[in-house]
Amino acid sequence: MNKDTIITCAVTGAGNPGKHPNFPITPQQIADAAVEAGRAGAAVAHVHVRDPNTAAPSRDIALYREVVERIRASDCDIIINITAGMGGDFVPGDDNPGIGGEGTDMISAAERIAHIEELKPEICTLDCGSINFGDDYVYISTPPILREMAERVKAAGVKPELEVFELGHLAFANQMHADGLLEAPALYQLCLGIPWGAPANTTAMKAMVDMLPAGCNWAGFGIGRLQMPMVAQATLLGGNVRVGLEDNLYLERGVFASNGELVEKAAGLICAMGGSIATPERARDILGLRGTQ
């Protein structure tokens, strides 16, 4: 059991707008959500940005810059973890499935990581493989793209959080670890419950944990109603946890949550199990981070 648990709060994500009355959309709202999560006990804020006018997911570096500057200017110490997962969506065209249709967003490895190289957060995500992301599109992240991204992230002095959605992703992440593309200690995130990836249950999480390399750090999460059960499961298996509105909108059935409330609920669960919550300073020590750059 992990007795010094790092809580990450994924405050907005790439989905869910319109389903929650107070979903963070603007840079101000996203930064405020990160600060709220930090004050509630999260050591890490995972950040996406959105077009303030449409709420659609965005890759605009100016929006990322504003969010980062607002968080860093606040009086709340929280580790910033920025997504590098945008730019891999492929929707087969109706007339020619070999050509991307409406909704396709495919860019190069350099473009996917440009905002990370400029803003240098302490952590960024690295989605370690391709996947049928629900029924609507394929998320494409090939080995050459991932190797280039890993090299660029390492050169920027940023810790990659290796997002694994199924066992094949974990096998490839382990290969990058073996090839020296990752600085020790490596950081893994076990992403469970996303259709059509690994399910959010004990069997899937345990199978992934058993494949992790020695000496690494890891966290796990489940989506929707399985968010808190996976908090408990990850803690029991020795890992860290993630909650937040990216993954789950509700505090309980029919009751919309805030990011801070989800962090407080997770922290209460962990403490009730006999664990404790890592501060940002302690989390930096555990994860081998260099601090704000």
Side-chain angles (χ1 to χ4, degrees):
M1 178 174 170
N2 189 356
K3 295 193 175 179
D4 204 1
T5 304
I6 299 167
I7 300 178
T8 292
C9 186
V11 299
T12 185
N16 293 326
K19 299 179 180 180
H20 188 292
N22 297 304
F23 202 77
I25 293 170
T26 68
Q28 177 76 67
Q29 291 168 343
I30 294 167
D32 287 348
V35 170
E36 175 200 10
R39 289 177 176 156
V44 182
H46 175 54
V47 174
H48 290 243
V49 295
R50 296 175 175 276
D51 184 317
N53 298 313
T54 67
S58 175
R59 294 189 278 103
D60 188 336
I61 294 179
L63 296 176
Y64 278 109
R65 185 183 304 112
E66 182 177 350
V67 172
V68 168
E69 288 176 352
R70 287 182 179 276
I71 295 172
R72 287 176 176 168
S74 75
D75 60 357
C76 178
D77 181 24
I78 191 164
I79 297 164
I80 299 174
N81 174 345
I82 296 180
T83 184
M86 301 290 291
D89 299 347
F90 183 81
V91 181
D94 292 333
D95 297 328
N96 184 348
I99 298 175
E102 184 178 356
T104 293
D105 178 32
M106 290 294 301
I107 58 176
S108 69
E111 291 172 299
R112 294 189 194 193
I113 215 74
H115 59 306
I116 305 302
E117 292 176 320
E118 176 176 331
L119 299 174
K120 293 182 172 58
E122 294 183 70
I123 301 173
C124 74
T125 60
L126 198 61
D127 296 335
C128 289
S130 303
I131 186 173
N132 290 325
F133 215 98
D135 291 347
D136 299 325
Y137 66 95
V138 178
Y139 179 77
I140 297 176
S141 201
T142 65
I145 287 173
L146 285 165
R147 291 189 181 101
E148 180 178 345
M149 291 176 70
E151 289 171 350
R152 286 176 171 271
V153 168
K154 186 176 182 179
V158 178
K159 172 76 71 174
E161 181 182 74
L162 307 167
E163 310 290 294
V164 295
F165 295 81
E166 46 101 332
L167 291 176
H169 295 179
L170 182 50
F172 182 74
N174 287 349
Q175 187 61 54
M176 288 200 296
H177 183 273
D179 291 342
L181 292 173
L182 312 170
E183 287 191 357
L187 174 59
Y188 289 70
Q189 178 73 261
L190 311 183
C191 311
L192 304 179
I194 292 88
W196 294 101
N201 61 38
T202 298
T203 300
M205 185 178 283
K206 182 63 165 56
M208 287 184 165
V209 170
D210 287 345
M211 282 183 62
L212 292 170
C216 75
N217 291 301
W218 69 275
F221 72 86
I223 65 172
R225 65 183 179 81
L226 293 173
Q227 185 171 80
M228 294 302 160
M230 292 299 101
V231 165
Q233 186 61 85
T235 302
L236 286 170
L237 289 175
N240 301 295
V241 306
R242 173 174 132 174
V243 295
L245 293 182
E246 175 174 353
D247 306 324
N248 166 48
L249 302 178
Y250 296 95
L251 192 62
E252 56 188 64
R253 182 182 292 273
V255 178
F256 286 112
S258 72
N259 283 292
E261 288 172 335
L262 291 172
V263 171
E264 289 173 352
K265 187 171 183 177
L269 178 59
I270 292 164
C271 291
M273 295 166 62
S276 62
I277 309 304
T279 64
E281 182 178 6
R282 175 62 180 142
R284 289 186 179 98
D285 289 340
I286 293 169
L287 300 178
L289 302 179
R290 300 175 182 177
T292 302
Q293 302 181 48

